[in-house]
Amino acid sequence: MNRRPHPDAIASIMNHAEDRFLIVDDLLVPLFEQVKDRVGVERVLVVPLSSQNITDSYENYEEFLATASQGKSEENVSRPGGGE
């Protein structure tokens, strides 16, 4: 997300691109809040850069990565050599 365009322009761009997922730092969450009801984003991952709390409405990006990394490790254990 770019904070320079007007929120109407941001919503239009996101809709035109058919964005389904958004990874945004916590400083830009207030901007997303202005357009969230006008876009079709299914999942929002917030990168914690400041000490702001991440609401339950969004997912913490760092926690998401930790979960994904755990799944990858388990996959490698069950499939030696990383695949068949």
Side-chain angles (χ1 to χ4, degrees), residues 4-37:
R4 286 181 258 167
H6 189 275
D8 292 339
I10 293 170
S12 177
I13 292 166
M14 291 178 77
N15 285 325
H16 180 74
E18 298 179 358
D19 291 341
R20 293 178 44 213
F21 306 100
L22 176 67
I23 299 174
V24 63
D25 66 56
D26 59 358
L27 302 173
L28 292 176
V29 168
L31 178 58
F32 176 68
E33 292 280 331
Q34 295 178 42
V35 301
K36 72 178 184 177
D37 294 332

Side-chain angles (χ1 to χ4, degrees), residues 1-76:
M1 290 183 68
N2 184 337
R3 65 176 79 202
R4 286 181 258 167
H6 189 275
D8 292 339
I10 293 170
S12 177
I13 292 166
M14 291 178 77
N15 285 325
H16 180 74
E18 298 179 358
D19 291 341
R20 293 178 44 213
F21 306 100
L22 176 67
I23 299 174
V24 63
D25 66 56
D26 59 358
L27 302 173
L28 292 176
V29 168
L31 178 58
F32 176 68
E33 292 280 331
Q34 295 178 42
V35 301
K36 72 178 184 177
D37 294 332
R38 296 182 274 166
V39 297
V41 175
E42 298 170 19
R43 193 169 184 182
V44 178
L45 299 163
V46 179
V47 179
L49 295 180
S50 69
S51 59
Q52 296 180 37
N53 290 331
I54 298 173
T55 67
D56 291 338
S57 304
Y58 308 120
E59 297 177 61
N60 182 307
Y61 181 73
E62 298 297 334
E63 292 173 8
F64 170 77
L65 286 181
T67 302
S69 295
Q70 289 171 359
K72 186 73 170 170
S73 296
E74 291 169 10
E75 180 181 309
N76 288 338

